[in-house]
Amino acid sequence: DYRYVDIPLPFDRDVWVRAVHLKPSNRAVMHHALAFVRFSPVSEESFFAAYAAGLHVEPFPQDSGQLLPRGTLLKFQLHYTTVGYATIDRPRLAIYLHKRPPSREFVISSAWTRDFRIPPYVADHPVEARFAFDQDALLHSIFPHMHLRGSRIGYEAYYPDGRREMLLSVPRYRFNWQSLYSLRSPKPVPAGTEIRVRGAFDNSR
């Protein structure tokens, strides 16, 4: 089951966030939890926090943060898996604040797609998603996220000057252990760069 919960943030002022930590009370039943922020009724949702088995929690990069204006709404997507008995989960979200505004804004962006069908019994069904940078940025980490039949995934950068670079390859993806891959040092990414994410699903017997 997917559960969707909206919670207004309890701040009476604009705040800068330096770290977040989202976790369940019952890890046996939660596959993942995602939190998004919506700054106004007409704005788009922006990714904010995540939980998945194996995901290592880190603070945002040094002297960076996310701005949450007063009145921001948190929208949660909670995804549960069956364990064969009735139980309860009480997720918690910790938000750590800067004392003063940081020098850089930290943004989480996604390349994703749900517009595909996996044929029966196919052992390697490819799927692709893309994301383009509209301004210069520093890339700090990559978090692949797939579901039960996800088998492999890779991230390749297509630069404006024609160069291509493989950023991450996970040839044996595991549904039950999902990792955040942090770079040893931030990678400059020029505006116009496109990230192509190519994965595959194993739907064989």
Side-chain angles (χ1 to χ4, degrees), residues 15 24 48 70 79 82 86 93 95 119 127 140 154 158 174 180 190:
V15 297
F48 183 64
R70 184 181 64 166
H79 180 203
T82 55
L93 175 66
I95 301 177
V127 173
H140 288 269
Y158 285 68
R174 291 295 177 264
L180 176 71

Side-chain angles (χ1 to χ4, degrees), residues 1-11 20-24 30 32-38 45-51 68 72-80 89-95 114:
D1 284 348
Y2 282 82
R3 308 289 176 89
Y4 297 92
V5 181
D6 293 351
I7 299 176
L9 283 170
F11 302 122
V20 292
H21 189 184
L22 175 58
K23 66 178 183 179
M30 179 174 278
H32 75 254
L34 305 176
F36 302 85
V37 292
R38 173 168 283 179
E45 296 174 8
S46 177
F47 193 86
F48 183 64
Y51 162 81
L68 297 183
T72 296
L73 182 69
L74 276 182
K75 302 178 72 67
F76 290 89
Q77 179 199 94
L78 309 175
H79 180 203
Y80 290 102
D89 176 55
R90 294 185 177 92
R92 293 191 298 167
L93 175 66
I95 301 177
R114 293 182 298 194

